[in-house]
Amino acid sequence: MRCYLNGLVCLGVAVVSLSCASSSSGAAGGAEAAAYKKALGTAALTDIVRQVPRIFNRYQYEIERSDSSPSYLTVQTRWNGRYPLQDEISAGVSEARTRLVLTARARARSGGTADVRVVELLAQNMVLIGDSTGWREGVMTPMFKAYIDGIADVLKTELLTGVRVY
């Protein structure tokens, strides 16, 4: 009986912990609203290393940090100040800045020898509202999503044209 009660208590603690974790990640509001993720498909690691810095530079994003392990690569840009888009201006935004984070995780090999990665782009948005001096997470407006979609499309095209199986 005691073992049964201990099991129920552990199960109750686990359920409460999971429900708190899920509600806190959803309740953050700003975290989900201030990040926009785009799947870019698969690419060879050599193409990612060669193409991503060139494309980020084309859009005036400077790479701040690049971390890699045998199974995971992260490329993060500095915050890039930009003019607010029209729908952001309508919402009272006076200044905006964006940071891009590209991740590439190893995919199970499918017989070839190429190091193929699954690539995603995450865009983070920070804004100043009116005369405020404090940056806050910006909501992903339709125009902002279209801006990021344009960058993502260029990345996807350049990376997909480079995938090779040896």
Side-chain angles (χ1 to χ4, degrees):
M1 182 69 173
R2 182 174 182 197
C3 183
Y4 176 74
L5 288 175
N6 284 341
L8 284 177
V9 169
C10 288
L11 179 63
V13 168
V15 168
V16 169
S17 297
L18 288 174
S19 67
C20 288
S22 64
S23 68
S24 68
S25 65
E32 290 178 355
Y36 181 56
K37 188 181 286 191
K38 290 291 290 186
L40 302 179
T42 57
L45 180 60
T46 54
D47 291 327
I48 295 167
V49 170
R50 185 176 62 245
Q51 299 291 353
V52 169
R54 185 178 62 79
I55 295 166
F56 279 175
N57 188 41
R58 181 187 308 171
Y59 289 93
Q60 301 173 351
Y61 285 93
E62 180 183 353
I63 294 175
E64 177 178 53
R65 178 174 69 85
S66 181
D67 296 324
S68 66
S69 71
S71 61
Y72 200 76
L73 169 72
T74 302
V75 179
Q76 177 180 301
T77 69
R78 294 186 187 281
W79 286 101
N80 185 28
R82 61 177 178 78
Y83 290 110
L85 301 164
Q86 189 58 48
D87 55 357
E88 291 174 324
I89 292 170
S90 298
V93 173
S94 59
E95 290 186 51
R97 63 184 182 183
T98 303
R99 176 168 61 189
L100 303 176
V101 180
L102 184 123
T103 58
R105 61 180 163 72
R107 187 181 82 168
R109 294 184 184 235
S110 57
T113 58
D115 188 0
V116 178
R117 303 292 176 110
V118 176
V119 186
E120 290 183 333
L121 179 68
L122 177 77
Q124 299 171 315
N125 194 29
M126 299 287 283
V127 297
L128 286 176
I129 306 290
D131 293 336
S132 171
T133 58
W135 289 96
R136 61 167 59 161
E137 295 174 334
V139 176
M140 300 292 127
T141 65
M143 290 180 84
F144 181 80
K145 287 180 181 179
Y147 165 69
I148 296 302
D149 287 345
I151 297 171
D153 288 344
V154 170
L155 280 164
K156 187 174 186 175
T157 300
E158 293 292 325
L159 294 176
L160 287 178
T161 57
V163 171
R164 299 162 189 87
V165 177
Y166 300 101

